[in-house]
């Protein structure tokens, strides 16, 4: 049995070796010739899987190691009797931690004041949005959610109108891309951005096309007070230069790229395939932990070393950014903004392919937390850090 996999899927050979011959291919290069004689196709979000790709092929199972499925033509797959699987929630924690690192960077740069924050809005309360909400609620913040599909299923309790959520001092977007049906999300966030209060933060780690790119450019042009952090764009991979130049922080669609999130996506698809073929499960090993040294944290925004008397939120930002700083991704991605479209897209994809290992906080234990302010360590423990 031939298994074609996106070459960026971690542990693909180990996970699918018991299934058959594993053939890695760049995700954007997977075409009819690559899948003609394959029976299993495993992709990520950059590969469009539909009639044009699979008609006439031997593929009987499609797995995507991602939470989103907008790149799969599910009705066509099902009409052909092709089984499919995704990995819902596999990288929810990864995205939540990435988003918080962007907030820490905003605080560090004095673009956001986390110490005074009390309410946060989340647009799109699926698995990722819920993980994000739980993380923020652990800090004592009130989270207001907007999610019409869930509200229709569960009732209005706990959900809020979009215009109310977009009037909060921090708005986090975790929307899937939905093109039709009663609640389409393409371009949804375009008309209400004017509700954002002065000094607000806006982070998109969902899908780029859920925002209107011209509307975001206009917002950033007239509202330089808004802290704008973007992991996703419309279009990709040749991201829109005018928007990227105006955003405070940009990254190449890697919010969910923690090693743990990637491994879980592979495991979930392999589990679904194993059930279809009656194979024993593949159990990946836990990543090795890499400790953080609290005595060696970067200086606080005021330029002083972190110590028990530091501002608690300044010290927390230093700890979070020591675990992962999105500023590195921002700097590397900005290198391509003067490139032509094709070269810019190549640079974007190369960053994703060569993305350095990022571990989640549970695998970044902290040595000597006693040098941190007591309040900082309390907040860090709530976020999921632990002592080494």
């Amino acid at each position: 049995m031939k298994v074609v996999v996106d070459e960026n899927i971690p542990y693909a050979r180990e996970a699918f070796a018991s299934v058959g011959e594993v053939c890695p291919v760049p995700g954007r290069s997977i075409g009819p010739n690559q899948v003609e004689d394959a029976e299993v196709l495993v992709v990520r979000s950059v590969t469009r899987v539909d009639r044009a790709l699979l008609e006439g092929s031997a593929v009987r199972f499609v797995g995507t190691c991602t939470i989103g499925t907008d790149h799969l033509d599910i009705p066509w797959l099902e009409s052909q009797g092709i089984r499919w699987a995704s990995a819902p929630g596999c990288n929810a924690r990864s995205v939540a931690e990435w988003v918080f690192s962007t907030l820490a960077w905003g605080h560090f740069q004095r673009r956001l004041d986390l110490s005074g924050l009390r309410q946060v809005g989340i647009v799109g309360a699926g698995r990722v949005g819920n993980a994000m909400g739980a993380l923020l609620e652990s800090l004592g913040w009130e989270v207001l959610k907007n999610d019409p599909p869930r509200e229709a299923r569960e009732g209005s309790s706990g959900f809020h109108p979009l215009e109310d959520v977009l009037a909060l001092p921090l708005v986090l977007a975790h929307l899937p891309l939905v093109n039709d049906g009663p609640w389409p999300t393409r371009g949804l966030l375009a008309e209400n951005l004017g509700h954002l209060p002065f000094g607000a933060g806006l982070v998109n780690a969902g899908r780029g096309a859920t925002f209107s790119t011209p509307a975001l450019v206009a917002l950033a042009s007239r509202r330089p007070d808004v802290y704008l952090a973007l992991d996703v764009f419309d279009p990709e991979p040749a991201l829109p230069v005018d928007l990227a130049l105006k955003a405070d922080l940009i990254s190449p669609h890697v919010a969910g790229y923690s090693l743990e999130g990637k491994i879980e996506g592979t495991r979930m698809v392999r589990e679904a395939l194993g059930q279809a073929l009656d194979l024993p499960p593949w159990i990946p090993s836990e990543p090795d932990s890499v400790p953080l040294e609290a005595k060696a944290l970067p200086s606080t925004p005021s330029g002083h070393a972190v110590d028990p008397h530091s501002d608690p939120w300044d010290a927390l930002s230093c700890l979070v950014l020591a675990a992962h700083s999105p500023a590195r991704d921002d700097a590397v991605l900005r290198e391509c903004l003067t490139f032509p479209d094709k070269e810019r897209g190549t640079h974007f994809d190369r960053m994703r392919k060569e993305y350095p290992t990022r571990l989640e906080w549970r695998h970044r234990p902290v040595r000597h937390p006693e040098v941190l302010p007591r309040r900082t360590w309390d907040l860090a423990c709530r976020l999921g850090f632990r002592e080494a």
Side-chain angles (χ1 to χ4, degrees):
M1 183 178 294
K2 182 177 179 180
V3 183
V4 171
V5 302
D6 184 318
E7 66 178 6
N8 286 346
I9 293 173
Y11 297 102
R13 290 190 182 277
E14 295 88 337
F16 298 102
S18 60
V19 177
E21 177 193 4
V22 179
C23 302
V25 180
R28 295 193 196 275
S29 300
I30 296 176
N33 291 339
Q34 284 72 38
V35 301
E36 181 180 10
D37 58 346
E39 294 178 66
V40 175
L41 173 63
V42 184
V43 300
R44 292 188 61 82
S45 60
V46 299
T47 304
R48 175 67 182 170
V49 181
D50 54 13
R51 179 196 294 269
L53 178 64
L54 296 185
E55 189 168 43
S57 75
V59 171
R60 307 314 301 162
F61 179 93
V62 173
T64 180
C65 299
T66 59
I67 60 177
T69 59
D70 51 276
H71 54 296
L72 306 184
D73 187 343
I74 293 173
W76 184 84
L77 293 176
E78 293 180 342
S79 74
Q80 301 301 303
I82 299 173
R83 299 183 66 163
W84 65 274
S86 61
C90 67
N91 60 4
R93 179 70 192 192
S94 173
V95 175
E97 292 189 8
W98 179 89
V99 169
F100 197 86
S101 75
T102 70
L103 305 184
W105 180 248
H107 181 87
F108 192 87
Q109 295 294 311
R110 296 299 191 237
R111 297 282 282 123
L112 286 176
D113 179 13
L114 297 185
S115 63
L117 197 61
R118 294 295 178 266
Q119 286 187 319
V120 180
I122 291 181
V123 184
R127 289 177 174 86
V128 175
N130 276 347
M132 189 76 248
L135 190 73
L136 300 182
E137 286 171 343
S138 74
L139 301 177
W141 294 348
E142 181 184 8
V143 176
L144 279 64
K145 300 176 182 178
N146 171 263
D147 194 308
R150 280 193 59 194
E151 185 175 355
R153 294 192 304 267
E154 303 169 22
S156 60
S157 179
F159 297 101
H160 300 266
L162 182 60
E163 57 269 25
D164 291 351
V165 171
L166 290 177
L168 296 174
L170 177 62
V171 177
L172 312 176
H174 295 290
L175 286 166
L177 183 59
V178 180
N179 290 309
D180 48 30
W183 299 288
T185 63
R186 181 178 290 275
L188 173 67
L189 298 174
E191 303 300 327
N192 296 308
L193 296 178
H195 292 286
L196 291 167
F198 184 86
L202 178 62
V203 183
N204 188 12
R207 287 289 186 267
T210 59
F211 278 81
S212 159
T213 295
L216 274 182
V217 172
L219 172 74
S221 298
R222 71 176 185 271
R223 293 286 306 278
D225 59 286
V226 173
Y227 174 71
L228 183 60
L230 302 172
D231 181 55
V232 290
F233 299 88
D234 182 30
E236 290 179 11
L239 73 167
V241 174
D242 51 351
L243 176 57
L245 286 171
K246 291 182 178 300
D248 292 276
L249 200 65
I250 59 175
S251 61
H253 204 148
V254 292
Y257 266 36
S258 71
L259 180 58
E260 296 88 342
K262 289 181 177 181
I263 292 173
E264 179 62 6
T266 304
R267 188 202 65 77
M268 291 175 71
V269 169
R270 172 58 176 78
E271 179 179 61
L273 179 58
Q275 291 173 351
L277 300 178
D278 195 26
L279 296 173
W282 172 68
I283 303 175
S285 57
E286 279 281 306
D288 293 333
S289 291
V290 179
L292 290 166
E293 178 53 72
K295 290 183 176 180
L297 293 180
S299 298
T300 67
S302 60
H304 300 106
V306 173
D307 64 34
H309 304 290
S310 299
D311 175 86
W313 288 95
D314 286 357
L316 181 66
S317 294
C318 291
L319 178 64
V320 169
L321 294 173
H324 169 71
S325 176
R328 176 264 176 199
D329 298 336
D330 177 272
V332 177
L333 185 53
R334 288 187 188 278
E335 294 173 1
C336 79
L337 296 184
T338 59
F339 297 174
D341 285 359
K342 185 176 181 180
E343 293 179 29
R344 193 163 66 253
T346 299
H347 182 90
F348 187 98
D349 280 344
R350 185 184 304 117
M351 283 188 68
R352 287 163 58 86
K353 179 180 179 180
E354 299 174 358
Y355 194 67
T357 298
R358 169 158 61 90
L359 294 173
E360 294 174 9
W361 296 334
R362 59 194 169 104
H363 290 124
R364 303 304 310 270
V366 180
R367 291 184 176 136
H368 302 293
E370 67 275 4
V371 305
L372 301 170
R374 184 174 299 177
R375 172 65 171 157
T376 297
W377 186 236
D378 173 59
L379 293 169
C381 291
R382 296 185 192 185
L383 291 175
F385 287 96
R386 60 182 178 86
E387 186 172 0

